[in-house]
Amino acid sequence: MDYIKQKTPPVREDRLRACNAFGGTCCDLVGASRSGCLYGLKRAFAQTYTCQLGLSLAILNTLRDAVIIIHGPIGCGGSNIANAGLAKNLQRLRDPRARGLIWLSTNLTEIDAIRGGEDKLKEAIWYAEREFRPRAIIIVNSCVPALIGDDIDGLVEGLQKEVSATIVPVHCPGFKAKIMASAYDAVYHGALRNLVKAPAYYDRVLPDDLEELKEKYSRSRTVNLLNVSSMSRQDELELTRLLQALDLKVNLLPCYAHPDSFEDATEAALSVSICPTHDDYFIGHLQAKYGIPFILRTIPLGIKHTSAWLLDIARFFGLEKEAQQLIAEETRQLQEALAPYRQVLQGKRAFIGGGEIRVGATAALLQELGMEVLGLRIYHYDHFADEIYDELNGKETMVVNVATSQPFEQANLLAKLKPDIYLGHVGLNGWAAKQGIPVCPVYGVNNLYMGYAGMFEIARRLVRILKNPSFNRNLAAHTRLPYFAKWYQENPFAYIDNNVLTGNK
Ligand code: SF4
């Protein structure tokens, strides 16, 4: 993989042939993925999609000591208003001196769309430099400048000599991608081109010494732990605890990191992803460019996936025996703690919505708790999830809906499946809650989900929610979703051209 010489990264539709329109069983999905049949599937009707700029901001807004310049009309990134307070609090959990989210907009108008927006961008960069003196200035490039052809990289190249902050263009115009996870690549592309630096040994040694020095670095026990914005500080602490139990050091990035953490990334012995959907672009390039190996397989949720994740890392450092002991002890304690919750959860029927990897691993976790998983709803699907989905019990009948947004399909599906509980991502939960289904978020910035401690917390929360579903029943009694009754009689995947669940087109 080497896209770094390009100014902009490819979108995931092209790079990974990812799919965002599918309705069928889990088994069919994996089969279609492995035979390459998912690419290019479409809907005959679609509600709106999510803009990749918004998801880029989910990472960028967390960076400490950085100013975000949204280069576009005032509406792009308007949702930042809702994030500002939260970003500050969460940054301060990592560094008490953090200033929180600072963002500017170039506020492009119709006149700018004709004359070009480069002057306004230049003015914004100077303002950010003078006013805030940040370590990094991130330029978030939206649809308008991408369409009118503002030469952002040319402008940055000229200005960088005069500005002390590192300027990082991130090209994420919403119109370019229907697979919104392309946002992750856009952010990492900007970081790889501007923040990541060659490791010190590149300049310091003669070529003959390079192998020896590389060996030294691989023995150094630092791991780049790639976090995601949908994990909490508690999640980070739990995973760090497990890695430190193996005597490993952790460099956490990209979320809530200081820009300097990207420089340190090239000194680590190993990069470890907690979500293949999130990180393959970054760690693939770190390996291709700087020879840093990576682990990219699953998310440490539940006993099975946390143990597999830990073992993969331990194997790299020759610490399998130590990891086995750690896993055995953690599992023993967890199983003891889970015993009273299992009785309540046994046989309860769940539906899960969110990102492909988190949803697949959450399904395995619920099955470990004795629950039945009726269906999954995921934003997009690519080959990274094949192994996880292929290993799910009941995959032959488990329904999967691949959809970015498209709540009408989920509403229909939930009306038919009638799960006891819905575990969902932000933006999906409200729809299920209004249908009277008890809801448990699959992530929250103040909640623990990952590792062994995370599984206990999930079980505890599920039991509490299932004990008293009256809030959602009352909600359903006093509200309704905006769909006609006849829609609920139809096939939920009637508008998807791959309808393998019922054979309808
Ligand atoms: S789709 Fe384009 S114009 Fe709309 S918010 Fe996203 S980047 Fe801005």
Side-chain angles (χ1 to χ4, degrees), residues 51 53 75-77 142-143 172-175:
C51 159
L53 180 139
C76 297
S142 70
C143 289
C172 51
F175 76 89

Side-chain angles (χ1 to χ4, degrees), residues 57-77:
L57 290 173
I59 300 178
L60 297 170
N61 284 348
T62 69
L63 292 180
R64 307 197 311 259
D65 202 6
V67 172
I68 312 293
I69 299 175
I70 296 168
H71 187 37
I74 195 74
C76 297

Side-chain angles (χ1 to χ4, degrees), residues 414-415 418-422 432-439 472-473 476:
L414 291 181
K418 297 185 179 19
D420 298 314
I421 190 154
Y422 179 94
K434 287 180 180 175
Q435 289 181 277
I437 302 165
V439 164
N472 296 86
R473 285 194 192 137

Side-chain angles (χ1 to χ4, degrees), residues 48 54 118 151 192 276 285 290 300 376 378 412-413 421 430 441 471 492:
T48 187
E118 291 176 21
D151 182 11
L192 282 158
H285 279 97
Y290 305 112
L376 312 173
I378 51 184
N412 181 318
L413 206 45
I421 190 154
F471 170 74

Side-chain angles (χ1 to χ4, degrees), residues 103-124:
W103 97 94
L104 311 170
S105 169
T106 51
N107 188 15
L108 296 184
T109 62
E110 288 172 353
I111 301 286
D112 298 319
I114 296 161
R115 289 188 186 155
E118 291 176 21
D119 287 346
K120 276 191 163 178
L121 178 59
K122 197 171 174 181
E123 196 186 326

Side-chain angles (χ1 to χ4, degrees), residues 405-457:
S405 304
Q406 319 311 323
F408 74 107
E409 287 173 1
Q410 174 177 289
N412 181 318
L413 206 45
L414 291 181
K416 288 188 169 68
L417 293 174
K418 297 185 179 19
D420 298 314
I421 190 154
Y422 179 94
L423 292 94
H425 215 279
V426 175
L428 295 173
N429 291 335
W431 295 88
K434 287 180 180 175
Q435 289 181 277
I437 302 165
V439 164
C440 177
V442 288
Y443 90 85
V445 290
N446 294 315
N447 288 331
L448 176 58
Y449 290 85
M450 295 196 180
Y452 300 105
M455 182 168 179
F456 174 77
E457 280 298 309

